[in-house]
Amino acid sequence: ISNGEKITVVTKDGKTFDGYLLVADLKERTNAIVIVRPLEGTEQYDVDIINIDNIADHKIDRKEHLEPMPNIQQLSDLIEPTVVGKLKKSIAKHKKYLSGINEKVDTETQLLFNEFSKQYECEWKSGNAIFFKEFEMSIIPPYQPESCQGGSDIKAKERVMHILKEFWQKEQPSIKGIEQINSIMTLQ
């Protein structure tokens, strides 16, 4: 493997990254690889940093090379903003996730909240009501389509009610499994 060779990497979670391999020191054992892609019409690059332990498969095309290769200073200039940006996004995502955990509700209600928070800005109100900031609507226990309150956006309300219906149809078997595991763990 050498700098500048075209590479395709598939990670263990199924994501595919295409670009050109950029390695600072081939003799140095590293735990990550850097793939760059020139941004068309600019002298800038899109950068992906991938942990080697997360790679499921890769393919190298030795016929195609990146010319000219970015130098080490360019590498630093490329990676630092990318890493900082990705870390900020990751931290924000985890803060959002942690702020959505409500210890006052059962597992199935928390799963429902998590499902909605993937698509909408949600928060807990009054301890157990799921509140949608975007259209000022709440879902109260027992978290069924008829439990939706407020909100003037009829289409949004219908969408939330549809998601509720689908969630309960889809999640019922897995929730029973979680309850069984919880009851077994309680017995131990």
Side-chain angles (χ1 to χ4, degrees), residues 1-9 17-26 30-38 45-52 55 60 66 69-72 74-80 82-83 86:
I1 298 176
S2 64
N3 290 350
E5 290 181 329
K6 185 156 178 62
I7 188 168
T8 301
V9 171
F17 298 89
D18 290 308
Y20 298 90
L21 187 64
L22 183 61
V23 181
D25 186 349
L26 290 172
T30 61
N31 62 354
I33 64 169
V34 178
I35 297 175
V36 298
R37 285 174 303 287
Y45 298 86
D46 191 12
V47 179
D48 292 305
I49 301 169
I50 304 166
N51 185 320
I52 288 176
I55 296 174
I60 296 173
L66 177 63
M69 282 295 295
N71 64 33
I72 296 302
Q74 286 174 310
L75 174 63
S76 174
D77 294 344
L78 290 172
I79 291 176
E80 186 177 346
T82 301
V83 171
K86 287 183 179 185

Side-chain angles (χ1 to χ4, degrees), residues 43-66:
E43 292 183 16
Q44 297 179 339
Y45 298 86
D46 191 12
V47 179
D48 292 305
I49 301 169
I50 304 166
N51 185 320
I52 288 176
D53 294 333
N54 193 31
I55 296 174
D57 195 13
H58 72 283
K59 179 181 169 189
I60 296 173
D61 180 354
R62 297 186 190 281
K63 296 176 187 169
E64 193 172 337
H65 281 66
L66 177 63

Side-chain angles (χ1 to χ4, degrees), residues 166-183:
E166 282 184 345
F167 176 83
W168 291 119
Q169 288 173 348
K170 177 180 79 174
E171 289 299 321
Q172 214 55 38
S174 65
I175 290 169
K176 287 183 181 178
I178 290 170
E179 288 170 351
Q180 288 173 345
I181 290 168
N182 287 341
S183 66

Side-chain angles (χ1 to χ4, degrees), residues 1 6 15-16 20 29 34 41 54 71 73 76 110 116 125-126 149 162 174:
I1 298 176
K6 185 156 178 62
K15 293 180 183 172
T16 301
Y20 298 90
R29 297 228 15 109
V34 178
N54 193 31
N71 64 33
Q73 182 58 47
S76 174
Q110 184 64 56
F116 277 117
K125 288 279 188 180
S126 305
Q149 296 183 340
H162 178 75
S174 65

